[in-house]
Amino acid sequence: MTETQEHRTQSDSNVILPRHRAKTDVVLIVLAFLMAGFGVVAVTVATFPTGSDPDASFLNHVVESSYAMRQCLFLLIAPLVVGVIAVFPHETLRRRSGFIYIATLILLTVVTVFNRAQGVKAWLDIIWGYTIQPSEFAKLAMILVLAANLSRSDHPMATMREKVQIMLLVIIPGGVILLEGETGSLLVIVFLTAIMMYFANVDIKFLLFLAALAILALLALYGILVASGSDDYRLARIASFLDPELYSSSDAYQILQSKKAIGSGGLWGNGMFVDGSLAQLNYVPADWTDFIYATIGETWGFAGCVAVLIMYVLILLRMVWDAYNTKDRFGRLVICGVIGMFLFHVLENIAMTIGLMPITGIPLPFLSYGGSNMVTNMAGIGLVENVMRNRSLSAAVPTPQTMYNPYRVSVHPAYYTGKQRG
């Protein structure tokens, strides 16, 4: 490349193309709130009590259910969450990501140390019977701090010091979350970290090394628990997943009942508020939270399950499109992190509901009951909108790895030169 061509390429790459101009992604917001609204309906059906009049109005059914009423409250708060985060100063999010990370880590530690509950210690009582789950907010903190650190150079984690620094950012809160008993949230963080590292152009060989190390660590931990005769509930869940019939009356009961509920819905479902339904009789434990997909399958059948999947695909594809059309490196990695968070939640939750994965206690985004879950999901949408409003701040630095790897979100410099001259 001649000096003139190089200068022209650099000049053209600073031009803000129409598709990179700041804007609000209205389509993404509409899709998210449509799902959240349907979530209120699903929670209402799942908590339909015995003795209730099936022919009563939907509003009466909502009022009869304390869970549905609370979910409505969470939905009313959602626009505020999205709006505040969307307009929050973009540069402040980047610069203060470390502060957000530390604050979340302190909150996680407080819950772990002072929560007297047996087993899972993930919730903190606040007021009027409401609780918060800091491990949900930790996912957002991890997205921000990882995006800030990985976006500092085009070759992140190139030195041993950088590798150790990034890994400690993940290991420290991950260890605290593991002590809480929240294995599901830990898996989400590990997954979104891998996604963000990949799209930040971390060396593929190092990523494969980390993956192999993680698999070996899990196998070793599983072997130690089995050899020691541990009665840890997580070990019981894995055992019940491997042989559900053997544990049909204990640890595998929830999975078997969930599959029965989904199968009973047939093609079009049995309808809402049906007397004697599995949802009404509470045959599926937690069918308004982690197993809400079982309620959807029984009520709206195969068609309803597929419709939900299509909506999730549309939301994820919309965010992929937003990431592709974002020049700001930090912002692009933030969107990749949000995609990773949603993707793992959807895949793991639905897979465990139909018996393809062990139970991990991961809620279904926008649909499962829970204030912390709803706030985290909407905050994730708010982060994407924040990036979209600031997506033309700076151009990403191209590298041979991003230029020739079609699977990584990048903006090839030839795109700018070709578009501007055409």
Side-chain angles (χ1 to χ4, degrees):
M1 182 182 291
T2 65
E3 184 178 349
T4 303
Q5 290 174 326
E6 183 179 359
H7 174 74
R8 184 178 299 172
T9 300
Q10 292 174 350
S11 175
D12 289 341
S13 65
N14 291 325
V15 177
I16 299 177
L17 301 177
R19 73 176 197 164
H20 293 108
R21 290 174 182 167
K23 72 167 190 176
T24 299
D25 190 344
V26 178
V27 174
L28 179 61
I29 293 177
V30 170
L31 289 173
F33 277 92
L34 282 175
M35 286 293 282
F38 179 66
V40 172
V41 178
V43 170
T44 305
V45 173
T47 54
F48 171 52
T50 56
S52 178
D53 181 10
D55 299 323
S57 66
F58 176 75
L59 182 59
N60 285 340
H61 288 303
V62 172
V63 173
E64 285 179 342
S65 169
S66 60
Y67 291 105
M69 290 291 289
R70 290 191 176 193
Q71 193 73 352
C72 287
L73 176 60
F74 303 148
L75 182 57
L76 290 176
I77 297 173
L80 179 63
V81 174
V82 174
V84 169
I85 295 181
V87 301
F88 199 83
H90 186 70
E91 186 63 15
T92 302
L93 282 176
R94 185 182 67 82
R95 290 187 176 182
R96 301 301 179 187
S97 60
F99 173 79
I100 297 172
Y101 171 85
I102 293 174
T104 306
L105 183 59
I106 292 173
L107 192 57
L108 286 171
T109 305
V110 168
V111 174
T112 305
V113 173
F114 294 102
N115 194 322
R116 298 178 180 275
Q118 298 295 322
V120 180
K121 303 178 180 181
W123 290 271
L124 185 66
D125 294 328
I126 45 177
I127 190 174
W128 299 331
Y130 287 89
T131 60
I132 60 172
Q133 189 175 358
S135 57
E136 286 288 328
F137 308 142
K139 301 167 189 175
L140 302 175
M142 288 303 305
I143 290 173
L144 290 174
V145 76
L146 286 173
N149 282 271
L150 293 173
S151 63
R152 289 175 179 170
S153 71
D154 197 51
H155 296 280
M157 303 182 74
T159 66
M160 182 56 65
R161 180 179 179 180
E162 291 177 343
K163 288 182 174 67
V164 172
Q165 179 184 359
I166 298 296
M167 295 312 299
L168 285 177
L169 286 175
V170 180
I171 291 172
I172 294 174
V176 177
I177 291 174
L178 192 61
L179 289 175
E180 290 182 353
E182 264 289 270
T183 310
S185 294
L186 175 60
L187 293 175
V188 175
I189 289 176
V190 170
F191 184 82
L192 69 86
T193 299
I195 293 291
M196 294 180 71
M197 285 182 177
Y198 179 79
F199 286 106
N201 301 320
V202 173
D203 183 65
I204 291 293
K205 293 181 180 178
F206 180 66
L207 290 179
L208 292 176
F209 168 75
L210 290 178
L213 193 63
I215 293 173
L216 290 175
L218 287 175
L219 291 175
L221 179 61
Y222 178 75
I224 292 172
L225 290 175
V226 172
S228 63
S230 173
D231 58 352
D232 189 282
Y233 76 94
R234 287 164 288 195
L235 183 62
R237 285 179 173 179
I238 295 175
S240 64
F241 165 73
L242 297 175
D243 191 355
E245 296 300 329
L246 182 62
Y247 299 88
S248 59
S249 60
S250 55
D251 295 294
Y253 176 80
Q254 196 171 19
I255 293 179
L256 294 175
Q257 292 301 116
S258 172
K259 292 166 66 175
K260 183 184 297 185
I262 294 174
S264 69
L267 180 59
W268 300 108
N270 299 322
M272 299 191 300
F273 311 117
V274 176
D275 264 332
S277 63
L278 297 178
Q280 185 194 43
L281 300 177
N282 295 321
Y283 272 96
V284 184
D287 62 347
W288 63 94
T289 54
D290 299 342
F291 278 76
I292 191 73
Y293 200 67
T295 298
I296 294 171
E298 182 188 15
T299 306
W300 292 281
F302 178 77
C305 291
V306 171
V308 167
L309 288 175
I310 291 174
M311 288 293 289
Y312 280 128
V313 169
L314 292 176
I315 290 173
L316 291 170
L317 288 179
R318 189 67 191 181
M319 287 191 286
V320 169
W321 177 253
D322 289 341
Y324 179 76
N325 290 290
T326 298
K327 294 176 65 179
D328 174 38
R329 187 177 178 81
F330 166 74
R332 183 183 303 166
L333 288 176
V334 167
I335 297 180
C336 289
V338 175
I339 291 172
M341 179 180 72
F342 281 130
L343 180 60
F344 190 85
H345 268 265
V346 172
L347 293 179
E348 167 60 20
N349 180 278
I350 293 178
M352 75 178 189
T353 304
I354 59 179
L356 296 180
M357 290 289 286
I359 299 175
T360 54
I362 290 180
L364 196 57
F366 305 112
L367 300 183
S368 292
Y369 168 82
S372 297
N373 176 44
M374 178 69 77
V375 169
T376 300
N377 294 331
M378 289 302 178
I381 298 297
L383 285 177
V384 176
E385 295 297 337
N386 185 286
V387 172
M388 295 301 292
R389 289 169 53 86
N390 300 275
R391 62 180 180 168
S392 60
L393 287 179
S394 61
V397 181
T399 67
Q401 195 171 24
T402 58
M403 288 165 62
Y404 297 110
N405 190 335
Y407 299 102
R408 299 202 181 189
V409 178
S410 61
V411 181
H412 196 290
Y415 171 82
Y416 296 106
T417 57
K419 288 291 184 180
Q420 293 301 311
R421 293 172 190 171

